[in-house]
Amino acid sequence: MLTAAWLVDVAASAVTGDAVTVKITHWHGLEAAALWMSLAAIGGGLMALGAYPRLRALWDATPRPEAKAIFDGIIEPLAAACRRLTDGVHNASFSRAVTVAVLAIAGAGVWAFSGGTHLAGDRALLPVTPTVLALWAVMVIAALALPFYHRDRVVALVLTGVVGLLIAPLFALFSAPDLALTQISVEVVTILLMLLALNFLPKATPVESAPGRRFGDVAVAGIAGAGIGWLAYAMMTRQPAFDPISHFHLAQSKPGAGGTNAVNTIIVDFRGYDTFGEIIVLGIAALVIFALSETLLRSPTVTRRLGAIAPVREDGDRHPMMLVVATRFLLPMAMMVGVYIYLRGHNLPGGGFVAGLVFAIAYLMQYMASGYVWSHARQRYDHHALIGWGVLVSVLAGVGAWAFGLPFLTSGFEYVNLWPLEEFELATAAIFDLGVFLCVLGAVLLALASLSRLGLRTGEDVNTRAFDINPDAAQAEEVR
Amino acid sequence: MEALVASAIGLLTAVGIYMMLRLRTFPVILGLTFLSYGVNLFLFTSGRLTVNAAPIIGRTEPYADPLPQALVLTAIVISFGMTAVLMIMAIGGHLEAGHDKVNMSDTDDDTPEVQS
């Protein structure tokens, strides 16, 4: 009989490597069980076919679980429960969300601190010095005054500035000169920004919350403050549970990164990737501010409301000549200080962040003294471009390492002897820090310029001269 | 000294939270600023307090822990960025809606209130 046995032989032999012979038979005789099983199956099938209409009717009549009904039955109550929960929780009340979050975090903190084990608080404490005591006292007075006097928003801003500026000497006293420099320059920029923003917001906060509610808020704030203060005290009075990893950074700062300022080498060398991401975030924040201000300026409602803001003239001189002249003289000096802070950053307190902020403050003084339009007309570099160049320069500093077969942002340095100068160091970290500098400068200026652009739509007229009084005209008047 | 710094952190946080619970945008942003003062100081103290120990290699040992300082330095700058974004949002909200309230009442669904 013709079978496919030959094909199976060839295939099986090829796979196993040995000669295989198979025998395929189609008729196994009447005794084979398979024959009777097949016949029984065919017979059974024919019988079932004959009984189909009756079986079908029986099946249709039998009650059975309906998947869609089960699904709907489960999902609908769940969806309704979720809707009730969302409606109950999300009542568009920011205050309630903050209250719940603060209490939940405080509760989790208490639970973690009481449940876990911790070292004994036996770390030697520092003696109180009169300087720190005085700083602390002024800070406490200013901070406590804020809740009582915050309704006058300018006063609130002054109190915020007092506290923020006092933190800088605290950083300096507790061995963090870099932080002191950063805090003091950021504080100046922040207060300027808020002062500018107050032009477009009400100058006073109305009394709205009932005394009972305020009492509740004091309780929530008190719990949060006591919790974090207690945690800070517990942390400061204990030795670290693990050996700090910064031994490595201190040991490698000079030999590994080529700089003696361990804080700066962490920022630009050891953890350069963090900083790289951070300047991008800062740049994006500034671009968001610009984009939002652009959108606002396109809205007819906003421009109408801006136009309705009446200029507040508390004195006659909007751009005092003394201030204009003084800031004009200060500009090159402030820039020189910025360059100095940038250059020393790798070895002494300073660096790109602080330098960028110092430059930004120098320019902001021009904006304050002579107005946005006058200063902007004399500005040669676009703020957006500064941010872009900042990111690009730091990317170049990072990609440059690839040329030496090293990972992204690996820093390198070389000591150079150039007669008649003393031996000095050239580090790629300085290029990266330049990127940080440009990005910070661009971001701060773009943020404040975006706010100033809103100011142009208010009812106030725009000055084209550096200061309001014209000394030339006054002189001509005198001569005549 | 530790108790002074810890109480200052606690007070700054408490004032920050209290101001964040006010009903207008400007005090809320001031509250966030206070909260970031407190948090930055708190993160800084995780390196423990030291005097005359700036982490400048070659000065007198021992050195203060440079790592919290580096992290707080970037945190200070980012706080500024965050405050600035919130400020423009607050201004935008005030100019678009005609009021600077933080909470929306249950009755108005996004419909701006008419400025009084």
Side-chain angles (χ1 to χ4, degrees):
Chain A
M1 198 181 289
L2 183 66
T3 67
W6 62 274
L7 191 60
V8 178
D9 287 352
V10 173
S13 307
V15 172
T16 57
D18 297 323
V20 178
T21 311
V22 292
K23 184 169 172 285
I24 299 177
T25 316
H26 290 285
W27 179 250
H28 297 275
L30 283 176
E31 293 79 20
L35 175 73
W36 299 108
M37 276 170 68
S38 302
L39 285 178
I42 290 168
L46 286 173
M47 272 160 66
L49 188 63
Y52 174 75
R54 264 174 295 158
L55 285 174
R56 175 74 213 204
L58 191 67
W59 171 251
D60 285 345
T62 320
R64 52 192 186 278
E66 190 71 52
K68 190 179 181 312
I70 297 172
F71 180 76
D72 287 348
I74 294 172
I75 288 298
E76 264 173 25
L78 270 179
C82 289
R83 210 173 297 123
R84 272 198 304 278
L85 185 70
T86 312
D87 288 349
V89 172
H90 186 119
N91 63 347
S93 168
F94 174 75
S95 313
R96 199 166 89 174
V98 171
T99 308
V100 171
V102 166
L103 293 179
I105 293 167
V110 171
W111 179 64
F113 202 78
S114 56
T117 55
H118 39 82
L119 303 170
D122 54 0
R123 192 173 180 275
L125 299 184
L126 291 175
V128 176
T129 59
T131 323
V132 173
L133 192 63
L135 287 173
W136 177 84
V138 180
M139 190 191 277
V140 166
I141 291 167
L144 279 178
L146 184 67
F148 293 101
Y149 296 105
H150 77 93
R151 300 198 184 281
D152 186 338
R153 293 185 174 180
V154 178
V155 173
L157 202 51
V158 170
L159 291 172
T160 309
V162 168
V163 172
L165 288 178
L166 284 175
I167 291 177
L170 271 188
F171 280 142
L173 286 166
F174 293 122
S175 316
D178 281 282
L179 288 187
L181 285 171
T182 314
Q183 175 68 31
I184 204 162
S185 43
V186 165
E187 193 55 37
V188 170
V189 175
T190 308
I191 296 298
L192 280 179
L193 172 105
M194 291 186 169
L195 207 52
L196 199 53
L198 262 188
N199 278 326
F200 314 107
L201 291 169
K203 310 287 174 291
T205 309
V207 182
E208 278 174 319
S209 44
R213 187 201 154 106
R214 262 177 271 163
F215 186 76
D217 291 347
V218 168
V220 171
I223 290 171
I228 193 101
W230 175 43
L231 187 63
Y233 186 74
M235 181 171 71
M236 279 187 276
T237 50
R238 284 163 171 80
Q239 296 293 349
F242 307 99
D243 216 20
I245 59 167
S246 45
H247 292 318
F248 167 81
H249 300 116
L250 285 168
Q252 284 297 315
S253 185
K254 184 69 179 161
T260 51
N261 181 1
V263 176
N264 189 266
T265 54
I266 290 174
I267 290 173
V268 298
D269 295 284
F270 297 118
R271 302 193 63 83
Y273 228 131
D274 275 3
T275 313
F276 179 60
E278 199 220 335
I279 61 169
I280 292 174
V281 169
L282 191 66
I284 291 172
L287 292 177
V288 165
I289 292 166
F290 176 76
L292 278 173
S293 72
E294 282 290 293
T295 320
L296 286 176
L297 285 175
R298 280 205 207 103
S299 151
T301 325
V302 168
T303 41
R304 186 169 45 77
R305 286 202 172 114
L306 274 175
I309 296 176
V312 185
R313 296 291 290 272
E314 287 180 349
D315 51 37
D317 223 358
R318 199 167 42 153
H319 299 291
M321 188 168 72
M322 296 291 271
L323 182 65
V324 173
V325 174
T327 51
R328 203 74 54 79
F329 274 115
L330 273 174
L331 179 66
M333 284 188 253
M335 289 167 90
M336 206 58 231
V337 170
V339 171
Y340 172 69
I341 285 176
Y342 163 74
L343 286 176
R344 80 204 281 253
H346 215 212
N347 292 314
L348 291 164
F353 276 112
V354 185
L357 288 163
V358 167
F359 259 67
I361 292 170
Y363 287 126
L364 291 178
M365 289 196 305
Q366 308 302 311
Y367 280 75
M368 276 165 58
S370 304
Y372 172 72
V373 172
W374 188 89
S375 311
H376 197 73
R378 280 147 189 85
Q379 171 203 327
R380 287 200 206 153
Y381 307 101
D382 196 30
H383 300 146
H384 301 74
L386 282 178
I387 298 175
W389 275 110
V391 175
L392 266 183
V393 166
S394 47
V395 166
L396 284 179
V399 168
W402 289 350
F404 302 93
L406 295 164
F408 184 63
L409 278 175
T410 310
S411 61
F413 59 95
E414 196 62 63
Y415 291 97
V416 182
N417 281 300
L418 193 67
W419 190 87
L421 301 174
E422 281 179 36
E423 181 186 73
F424 63 95
E425 181 195 31
L426 284 178
T428 60
I431 304 172
F432 182 73
D433 222 12
L434 181 66
V436 173
F437 164 80
L438 290 173
C439 203
V440 169
L441 176 61
V444 172
L445 288 180
L446 184 61
L448 281 111
S450 302
L451 286 180
S452 303
R453 282 160 51 84
L454 290 177
L456 294 181
R457 301 292 183 92
T458 59
E460 198 164 10
D461 55 324
V462 167
N463 61 314
T464 48
R465 300 182 55 86
F467 30 87
D468 290 336
I469 51 165
N470 185 347
D472 290 345
Q475 206 173 23
E477 197 81 10
E478 216 165 84
V479 168
R480 202 179 314 142
Chain B
M1 207 90 107
E2 274 80 358
L4 284 186
V5 175
S7 59
I9 293 171
L11 181 68
L12 291 177
T13 309
V15 172
I17 299 278
Y18 179 78
M19 293 302 284
M20 278 174 72
L21 291 171
R22 298 304 89 213
L23 300 174
R24 300 289 174 140
T25 51
F26 192 77
V28 168
I29 295 176
L30 285 189
L32 268 173
T33 308
F34 265 73
L35 190 63
S36 54
Y37 293 153
V39 170
N40 286 341
L41 265 180
F42 178 77
L43 290 179
F44 169 67
T45 56
S46 71
R48 308 301 187 274
L49 294 185
T50 43
V51 284
N52 297 325
I56 307 291
I57 309 298
R59 298 259 172 102
T60 47
E61 292 215 39
Y63 302 120
D65 194 338
L67 200 55
Q69 295 193 15
L71 298 183
V72 170
L73 197 154
T74 54
I76 293 173
V77 179
I78 279 295
S79 310
F80 163 74
M82 182 194 70
T83 310
V85 171
L86 283 175
M87 243 344 158
I88 189 83
M89 285 170 74
I91 292 170
H94 177 241
L95 292 175
E96 284 275 5
H99 65 83
D100 63 343
K101 288 182 183 166
V102 173
N103 299 337
M104 274 160 51
S105 61
D106 290 336
T107 45
D108 66 0
D109 326 291
D110 291 330
T111 42
E113 213 170 88
V114 181
Q115 196 171 24
S116 51

